[in-house]
Amino acid sequence: MWISLFALVLLAAVYWVRQRLAYWKQRGVPYVQPSFPQGNLTGVGNKSHMSAILQSCYKQLKSSGKPFGGIHFFINPVALLIDPDLIKTVLVKDFHYFHDRNLYHNDRDDPLSRHLVAMEGTKWRNLRAKLTPTFTSGKMKLMFATVTAVAEEFDKCMTHEISHSSVVEMKDLLARFTTDVIGSVAFGLECNSLKDPDAKFRVMGRKVFQASRYRALKVFLAAQFPQIARAFHVTLTPPDISEFFMGVVKDTIEFRQSNNVQRNDFMTLLMKVMKEQVEQSGGDEQKDHLTMDDIAAQAFVFFLAGFETSSTTMSFCLYELALHQELQDKARQNVTEVLKRYDTISYEAIHDMKYIEMCINESLRKYPPATTLTRRVENDYRVPATDQILQKGLMVAVPVYALHHDPDHFPDPERFDPERFAPEHSEKRHPFAFLPFGEGPRICIGLRFGMMQARIGLAYLLKSFRFTLAKDRMSVPLNISPSSPILTIDGGLWLNVEKL
């Protein structure tokens, strides 16, 4: 009897998996043939980065001429968007059908996962509205001096480094620079990563992005079966990281409240939001209140997104400028000419460095840190101009890397060419073919800050130093780390650095 029951359950499971893998075929949607158990993700994290896998799927599906096609993340069907007009519709026009990112969060067991990037529904909308004012151009101007103070230290650190060796690993140095910037702006603390590579903030930042088989298994379970993962108390933030950031935020808030400290930073705004909510409700505890845990989660994600994406963007940009000396000369000339007009590195001067901005945008085009955008379908949605229905609960993916490397949008896409982002060229291109920060209501809230930080970092580096590739330690083209959740250089960025 037990053998018969087991055989029946096994047959039912096999049938269910086959039905899942035949999902797109049954609906007459162009699809890439999946295999069990990884669907279309065979080799991800081991041999290939997710961006390369989705680029391959994108190319196959684009030939069908349809606005989207079907792929599978393991046994779960995913709609891969191809047409920029449909991408615009999903991210902006019909946003109310696609307002959540489908990212795992576990509010009960992993309070640091309760951040704006993963947050959903009304709570996300309310918090986004409260936090948006901290990222206006006016607020960026107030934070500018804090960033340049760290950049001055960065300049001294670079001079010290090349006094020992002209060959420098820039990827880690840039991450230490952005760690100190974010630590100061988000927490009001001196992280001292530039002076000490093993400073606590830098150690914790590195640890968040460290890959392991056990962690990969947890990420897989959380992404594919979130309800089951929550039932089993699965957390994605290591306990020591959670304890560190919760402690830092608690101590910072208590110190500021006790000593009436006011700063032009992210923490001050979060504390202000929390105070206003309590006052407006007469002190009553309400579910939607910003709690200490919420503040820690927002500061945590701002720290992670701010230090890692900006440092990798600058790393890729420096790599290309080291490879193409004529472009590096042009970028340095841009910095020099602007500084002659302004006499100093000011907020206005940095924004007047148009060629530096073009270099950063081209770096974001060729090497977007976030290679894929995801959304979840909130209610059954009919795809415009088709008879296809995207069912409630289905995941939708926008292959940012593939769009950025599509020759129909960016001719000769493997060539690094900042002139693509000259106004006359940008105007001719579909605006939804370039999505390094996402788009629509869920566009990256820290876009302005990230660009400002990258501009300042590159301006300081280019005005004082020349960079060339350490050819015995660097490959052309670059090796991309297959297991990293964001696009990053495998083995570091080794450059010859010369003081000017």
Side-chain angles (χ1 to χ4, degrees):
M1 178 188 167
W2 287 110
I3 294 174
S4 300
L5 187 61
F6 176 76
L8 198 63
V9 170
L10 186 63
L11 282 171
V14 169
Y15 176 76
W16 180 73
V17 167
R18 282 186 170 173
Q19 289 296 104
R20 294 288 285 175
L21 294 179
Y23 182 91
W24 295 115
K25 184 179 182 181
Q26 290 170 352
R27 285 160 178 77
V29 172
Y31 66 98
V32 181
Q33 185 67 43
S35 60
F36 182 78
Q38 290 175 290
N40 297 112
L41 300 185
T42 303
V44 164
N46 185 14
K47 295 178 181 176
S48 306
H49 191 268
M50 172 74 104
S51 58
I53 299 284
L54 291 190
Q55 184 184 26
S56 173
C57 293
Y58 172 90
K59 286 177 178 176
Q60 290 179 61
L61 293 170
K62 190 178 178 185
S63 62
S64 72
K66 302 294 183 184
F68 79 98
I71 58 172
H72 280 79
F73 287 1
F74 296 92
I75 59 171
N76 289 330
V78 175
L80 192 71
L81 306 190
I82 308 296
D83 176 42
D85 286 326
L86 178 58
I87 293 169
K88 181 179 180 180
T89 301
V90 165
L91 297 181
V92 182
K93 186 183 172 189
D94 289 336
F95 174 76
H96 54 286
Y97 280 95
F98 305 94
H99 52 71
D100 294 334
R101 283 201 172 100
N102 203 48
L103 297 179
Y104 180 74
H105 57 94
N106 183 344
D107 297 3
R108 177 190 57 199
D109 304 302
D110 189 1
L112 289 186
S113 71
R114 203 158 67 203
H115 51 69
L116 196 65
V117 177
M119 204 176 269
E120 299 176 345
T122 305
K123 189 157 188 178
W124 164 78
R125 192 175 292 107
N126 292 342
L127 185 59
R128 173 86 187 205
K130 293 283 187 184
L131 296 186
T132 296
T134 200
F135 293 102
T136 60
S137 54
K139 288 290 195 299
M140 292 303 103
K141 205 167 183 178
L142 292 174
M143 294 179 190
F144 186 83
T146 306
V147 183
T148 52
V150 179
E152 292 287 348
E153 285 300 314
F154 187 30
D155 189 80
K156 292 175 192 171
C157 179
M158 285 290 299
T159 303
H160 176 72
E161 286 286 329
I162 62 173
S163 69
H164 298 292
S165 171
S166 61
V167 179
V168 179
E169 202 287 278
M170 288 300 301
K171 183 168 170 271
D172 185 63
L173 261 179
L174 286 162
R176 284 156 60 190
F177 163 61
T178 55
T179 295
D180 283 1
V181 169
I182 299 296
S184 186
V185 169
F187 298 94
L189 299 173
E190 287 189 19
C191 299
N192 289 318
S193 300
L194 285 167
K195 293 175 182 171
D196 177 12
D198 295 317
K200 194 73 172 173
F201 265 91
R202 181 69 194 115
V203 170
M204 289 298 166
R206 268 197 299 259
K207 189 167 183 181
V208 172
F209 290 95
Q210 280 173 357
S212 72
R213 286 182 181 274
Y214 173 62
R215 195 165 182 204
L217 186 65
K218 290 210 297 184
V219 169
F220 160 68
L221 178 64
Q224 302 304 311
F225 308 103
Q227 304 299 344
I228 296 172
R230 288 189 193 102
F232 281 92
H233 304 275
V234 171
T235 62
L236 300 183
T237 312
D240 55 340
I241 291 177
S242 188
E243 190 179 321
F244 171 74
F245 279 98
M246 298 292 275
V248 166
V249 169
K250 188 169 179 285
D251 292 347
T252 301
I253 289 176
E254 286 177 356
F255 177 80
R256 290 192 183 193
Q257 287 174 338
S258 301
N259 297 278
N260 195 27
V261 175
Q262 296 293 322
R263 283 173 54 102
N264 293 314
D265 63 12
F266 189 59
M267 192 64 71
T268 295
L269 183 98
L270 289 168
M271 290 170 63
K272 187 179 171 189
V273 170
M274 184 166 69
K275 185 181 176 186
E276 284 173 357
Q277 287 181 337
V278 172
E279 287 172 352
Q280 286 168 8
S281 62
D284 290 342
E285 287 297 321
Q286 286 188 8
K287 196 175 174 183
D288 270 351
H289 270 184
L290 200 63
T291 64
M292 191 78 82
D293 284 358
D294 289 327
I295 287 184
Q298 309 325 312
F300 174 64
V301 78
F302 181 45
F303 172 76
L304 288 190
F307 98 78
E308 185 66 17
T309 56
S310 290
S311 65
T312 53
T313 297
M314 285 190 281
S315 294
F316 284 123
C317 194
L318 272 187
Y319 166 80
E320 291 288 354
L321 293 179
L323 197 58
H324 303 98
Q325 288 295 308
E326 72 285 2
L327 299 182
Q328 186 179 150
D329 289 339
K330 192 170 180 179
R332 185 175 294 107
Q333 186 182 354
N334 183 220
V335 173
T336 307
E337 287 175 354
V338 169
L339 290 182
K340 276 182 186 173
R341 290 202 299 273
Y342 288 88
D343 294 328
T344 183
I345 292 187
S346 63
Y347 182 79
E348 290 74 19
I350 285 292
H351 280 267
D352 208 10
M353 295 176 185
K354 300 301 182 188
Y355 192 74
I356 295 295
E357 183 180 357
M358 287 158 60
C359 288
I360 294 169
N361 278 331
E362 175 64 346
S363 183
L364 288 166
R365 194 272 311 167
K366 193 173 176 185
Y367 310 100
T371 63
T372 313
L373 305 176
T374 58
R375 295 290 187 269
R376 187 178 64 231
V377 184
E378 299 305 315
N379 290 295
D380 286 0
Y381 176 78
R382 181 180 290 278
V383 178
T386 75
D387 59 355
Q388 292 294 338
I389 303 289
L390 299 181
Q391 291 183 308
K392 180 180 178 179
L394 188 75
M395 182 168 150
V396 170
V398 179
V400 174
Y401 183 91
L403 285 164
H404 288 190
H405 288 255
D406 185 336
D408 288 344
H409 303 309
F410 298 96
D412 194 6
E414 297 310 313
R415 183 166 60 95
F416 185 83
D417 180 13
E419 294 298 332
R420 297 180 202 274
F421 291 92
E424 62 271 21
H425 297 305
S426 293
E427 286 166 9
K428 295 173 187 172
R429 192 165 49 240
H430 197 296
F432 282 72
F434 180 62
L435 299 167
F437 297 99
E439 202 34 277
R442 285 204 91 133
I443 192 170
C444 173
I445 196 171
L447 184 161
R448 281 193 182 95
F449 184 83
M451 286 296 288
M452 181 177 80
Q453 183 178 220
R455 280 188 183 109
I456 292 170
L458 287 170
Y460 268 85
L461 289 171
L462 290 169
K463 79 180 176 69
S464 301
F465 306 95
R466 175 175 296 281
F467 301 91
T468 54
L469 281 192
K471 291 182 180 175
D472 57 327
R473 305 194 71 166
M474 292 300 300
S475 64
V476 181
L478 277 175
N479 290 324
I480 299 298
S481 174
S483 58
S484 173
I486 68 168
L487 210 64
T488 187
I489 302 169
D490 196 15
L493 173 63
W494 295 91
L495 300 179
N496 297 307
V497 185
E498 173 196 346
K499 178 85 171 172
L500 296 174

